[in-house]
Amino acid sequence: MTGPITSEDDLIARYLRPLAADFPGAFDLSDDCAVLDPPPGERLVLSVDAVAAGVHFLADDGAADIAWKALAVNVSDLAAKGAKPIAYLMSLAFPETPQPAWMEQFAAGLRQAQDGFGLALAGGDTDRRPGPLSITITAIGSTPGRTPARQDAHSGDELYVSGTLGDAALGLKLRRDPGLAAAWGLSEAEAASLVARYLRPQPRLELRDALRRCAAAALDISDGLAKDLDRLCRASHLGAAVEVAQVPLSPAVAKAVGADPGLLTSVLTGGDDYEILAAVPATLAADFCAAAAAGGRDVTRIGALDGGSSVLLSGTGGHAISLPRSGWDHFA
Amino acid sequence: MTGPITSEDDLIARYLRPLAADFPGAFDLSDDCAVLDPPPGERLVLSVDAVAAGVHFLADDGAADIAWKALAVNVSDLAAKGAKPIAYLMSLAFPETPQPAWMEQFAAGLRQAQDGFGLALAGGDTDRRPGPLSITITAIGSTPGRTPARQDAHSGDELYVSGTLGDAALGLKLRRDPGLAAAWGLSEAEAASLVARYLRPQPRLELRDALRRCAAAALDISDGLAKDLDRLCRASHLGAAVEVAQVPLSPAVAKAVGADPGLLTSVLTGGDDYEILAAVPATLAADFCAAAAAGGRDVTRIGALDGGSSVLLSGTGGHAISLPRSGWDHFA
């Protein structure tokens, strides 16, 4: 079926209904509502995030990558709470009726993402309107116990991050200007690995047990370490001290920063990493690292929370690093 | 606090946080996720709908009316399933940083709506991006038992609608051209009542018991009776016969149709009524009407479902009424 999309029902039937086939409460997307039977005794965790062309992704990013990112950024919020994904609802706004080939790729990206993250499409809404293509997803997960909220950190908690930071920020720069790879001394494979981190964020669901059991507070790093750490500190009414030398870098980012030390600012303030920032009581730090390793994802201690009111990022000589701007803000 | 909005956090703190104060799992909107403890043993019902300036409302509609409509259209979907509203998540996309006076009115409209419908803001997302102002809401409700889905109707079920139809469609016409009131012979109060039906749709939550106990299938009439009845029939693989003379009209709409019989098409195909269309087994019809009346909302029998494949709207003489177009479609 490669003919033009003739109606909203046609678009849903051809591209979206298959994504809901495994979720009985989706009623094959033939209803206005989805029905969800919550796992008995569990709490539900809900997140909503919109991504729009020109703001959160580039209009010429591949349709499969756009779909992946739209779902991944929401599932990443669930991952930070140690929740298991169940289902999602999706609101699509197209400026024009999409081409069948584009929708096919978009649906394929959603399929890869939902299978990878373990959730299904439960319902949605499709509109045509002026403005950029935008995809608003509400993701729903569940957890048997407490969730590590932003506001539950305590003075003395140790600060951990998962994976490596800055890959996506440098990946976006490379996506815009591939010539930078040579200037930074990166191989083709290294450059491609950074671009992939930008295009296909990976929610850290493998940290579920570690976060549920050990983290006092956690969030995903979507808007840069500096800004998201600031958010954690404000919500918990704490200060923080981070040693920048401890911030984990991938070999490719380390090489790029070596070639252009100014890139360290991008590593600390650039968004789109979708790694986890967690505050872990010192008594649980060893357990946290062990549970993370058991899940297959390394975590790195970068500093600690304190009773102060400032967030201090200090360089190798102990001097404070001043940052030009603390991450992305839509209205500042 | 009437100074300009200086950041996303500022916008949230001043206008949105108060709307989440009664929902503990909203964490004062300081987190990326909301936590919801489902009522034990109940199923959750979820709906997502976006409204955008120029598509679903007029850009110069009042901010409080826009907010009301954005929430009401979602709660209306829950109402059609006999669900009790619990909470909502909201994604806002502004083309420019909004003015404080506008945001104040917008928040006031949300407050009126959420208090009226019995739910609270649990979480959200706020962006600035080109294109029309858009508001995407995911509403969550619960129900102890089965929900009347679109696809569960049977041949022989009687078709009922709540309230009166066509008010909002004529209200929109009057909103665009107030001079029509005189042409239709409407008083100022009658014209105002129709415009109010367009601006402030009323989810029929008072039909909850009637729908849960008696309806085989139900949906809200958002895109016009003709189109939504067609959807019900397609989902249930049935045909329908409706006597147009039985379609309930308000005194103002009856007067306008009397003056201009062509308006009957708008009554049958115009959207935005947000009344309920329900398929009720004949054996439960009396119970349905009694339960609806006990809830304070009249319902009217307009026809019945049959085993055929066509949807027949017949006029007073029994002749078929042909409609130029079956309601709104974003992609047709």
Side-chain angles (χ1 to χ4, degrees):
Chain A
M1 299 224 287
T2 53
I5 293 166
T6 57
S7 69
E8 192 173 344
D9 288 343
D10 184 40
L11 186 153
I12 292 168
R14 283 160 66 178
Y15 303 105
L16 303 178
R17 185 161 298 150
L19 300 168
D22 296 333
F23 194 79
F27 305 113
D28 285 328
L29 304 183
S30 73
D31 212 305
D32 295 315
C33 291
V35 171
L36 173 71
D37 291 308
E42 300 214 350
R43 326 186 73 179
L44 293 184
V45 180
L46 300 113
S47 161
V48 61
D49 267 310
V51 296
V55 183
H56 306 88
F57 59 88
L58 306 177
D60 64 345
D61 283 346
D65 292 332
I66 292 168
W68 175 286
K69 182 176 282 192
L71 188 51
V73 302
N74 277 284
V75 171
S76 178
D77 285 328
L78 302 186
K81 304 296 148 193
K84 178 178 161 61
I86 300 175
Y88 66 103
L89 296 106
M90 178 171 63
S91 178
L92 290 172
F94 293 101
E96 300 294 339
T97 303
Q99 295 299 313
W102 192 95
M103 270 310 296
E104 202 167 298
Q105 286 303 306
F106 184 80
L110 280 177
R111 165 62 68 186
Q112 289 180 306
Q114 72 178 42
D115 288 354
F117 310 151
L119 76 176
L121 179 61
D125 173 52
T126 309
D127 277 349
R128 192 159 61 82
R129 74 174 84 128
L133 165 67
S134 70
I135 306 144
T136 306
I137 286 182
T138 301
I140 306 157
S142 73
T143 177
R146 61 171 285 284
T147 56
R150 277 191 198 174
Q151 59 191 10
D152 293 338
H154 295 94
S155 177
D157 285 352
E158 304 200 344
L159 287 169
Y160 282 86
V161 296
S162 63
T164 56
L165 299 189
D167 301 67
L170 301 201
L172 173 57
K173 287 181 190 288
L174 289 166
R175 173 86 177 73
R176 288 184 162 142
D177 180 2
L180 287 170
W184 297 344
L186 300 185
S187 70
E188 215 169 295
E190 286 170 328
S193 75
L194 297 184
V195 173
R197 283 290 306 269
Y198 167 71
L199 291 175
R200 296 245 173 170
Q202 304 289 336
R204 297 308 186 195
L205 293 165
E206 61 271 34
L207 292 178
R208 177 146 41 107
D209 286 340
L211 291 167
R212 282 182 44 225
R213 287 172 39 204
C214 307
L219 72 167
D220 66 336
I221 304 174
S222 55
D223 293 334
L225 174 65
K227 177 152 190 170
D228 286 313
L229 174 58
D230 189 62
R231 287 178 167 144
L232 179 72
C233 288
R234 284 175 192 270
S236 292
H237 305 290
L238 295 171
V242 165
E243 289 176 61
V244 171
Q246 302 302 318
V247 172
L249 305 183
S250 66
V253 168
K255 195 185 280 188
V257 170
D260 178 357
L263 290 175
L264 193 59
T265 299
S266 299
V267 170
L268 299 175
T269 64
D272 295 321
D273 277 322
Y274 297 98
E275 296 290 353
I276 304 287
L277 171 66
V280 179
T283 52
L284 293 173
D287 282 355
F288 180 69
C289 294
R297 178 65 44 195
D298 283 338
V299 292
T300 305
R301 184 186 184 284
I302 59 167
L305 293 166
D306 57 50
S309 58
S310 61
V311 176
L312 189 69
L313 302 176
S314 57
T316 40
H319 59 281
I321 293 180
S322 76
L323 296 172
R325 178 144 187 270
S326 283
W328 177 252
D329 188 298
H330 286 285
F331 298 96
Chain B
M1 300 224 286
T2 54
I5 293 165
T6 58
S7 69
E8 191 173 344
D9 287 344
D10 183 41
L11 186 154
I12 292 168
R14 283 159 65 177
Y15 303 105
L16 302 178
R17 185 161 296 152
L19 300 169
D22 296 333
F23 194 80
F27 305 112
D28 285 329
L29 304 182
S30 73
D31 212 303
D32 295 315
C33 290
V35 172
L36 173 71
D37 292 308
E42 300 213 352
R43 326 186 74 181
L44 293 183
V45 180
L46 300 113
S47 161
V48 60
D49 267 311
V51 297
V55 183
H56 306 88
F57 59 87
L58 305 178
D60 64 344
D61 283 344
D65 291 333
I66 293 169
W68 174 285
K69 181 175 283 193
L71 188 52
V73 301
N74 277 284
V75 171
S76 178
D77 286 326
L78 302 186
K81 305 295 148 192
K84 179 178 160 62
I86 300 175
Y88 66 103
L89 296 107
M90 179 171 63
S91 178
L92 291 171
F94 293 103
E96 300 294 339
T97 303
Q99 295 299 315
W102 192 95
M103 270 310 295
E104 203 168 296
Q105 285 304 306
F106 184 79
L110 280 178
R111 166 62 69 188
Q112 289 179 305
Q114 71 178 44
D115 287 355
F117 310 151
L119 76 177
L121 180 60
D125 173 52
T126 308
D127 278 348
R128 191 158 61 83
R129 75 173 83 126
L133 164 66
S134 70
I135 305 143
T136 306
I137 286 183
T138 300
I140 305 157
S142 73
T143 177
R146 61 171 285 285
T147 56
R150 277 190 198 175
Q151 58 191 12
D152 293 339
H154 296 95
S155 177
D157 285 352
E158 304 199 344
L159 287 169
Y160 282 87
V161 296
S162 63
T164 57
L165 299 189
D167 301 68
L170 301 200
L172 173 58
K173 287 181 190 289
L174 289 165
R175 173 86 176 73
R176 288 186 162 139
D177 180 2
L180 287 171
W184 297 345
L186 300 185
S187 70
E188 215 169 297
E190 287 170 327
S193 75
L194 296 183
V195 172
R197 283 290 306 269
Y198 167 71
L199 291 175
R200 296 244 173 172
Q202 303 289 337
R204 297 309 186 195
L205 293 165
E206 61 272 32
L207 292 178
R208 176 145 42 107
D209 286 340
L211 290 167
R212 280 183 45 225
R213 286 173 39 205
C214 306
L219 72 169
D220 67 336
I221 304 174
S222 54
D223 294 334
L225 174 65
K227 178 154 188 168
D228 286 314
L229 174 59
D230 189 61
R231 286 177 166 146
L232 180 72
C233 288
R234 283 174 193 271
S236 293
H237 305 291
L238 295 172
V242 165
E243 288 175 62
V244 170
Q246 303 301 318
V247 171
L249 305 182
S250 66
V253 168
K255 194 185 282 189
V257 170
D260 179 357
L263 290 174
L264 193 59
T265 299
S266 299
V267 170
L268 299 175
T269 64
D272 295 320
D273 277 322
Y274 296 99
E275 296 290 355
I276 303 287
L277 171 66
V280 180
T283 52
L284 293 173
D287 282 356
F288 180 69
C289 295
R297 178 65 42 195
D298 282 338
V299 291
T300 305
R301 184 186 183 284
I302 59 167
L305 293 166
D306 57 51
S309 58
S310 60
V311 176
L312 189 68
L313 303 176
S314 56
T316 39
H319 59 282
I321 293 180
S322 76
L323 296 172
R325 180 147 183 269
S326 283
W328 177 253
D329 188 298
H330 285 285
F331 298 95

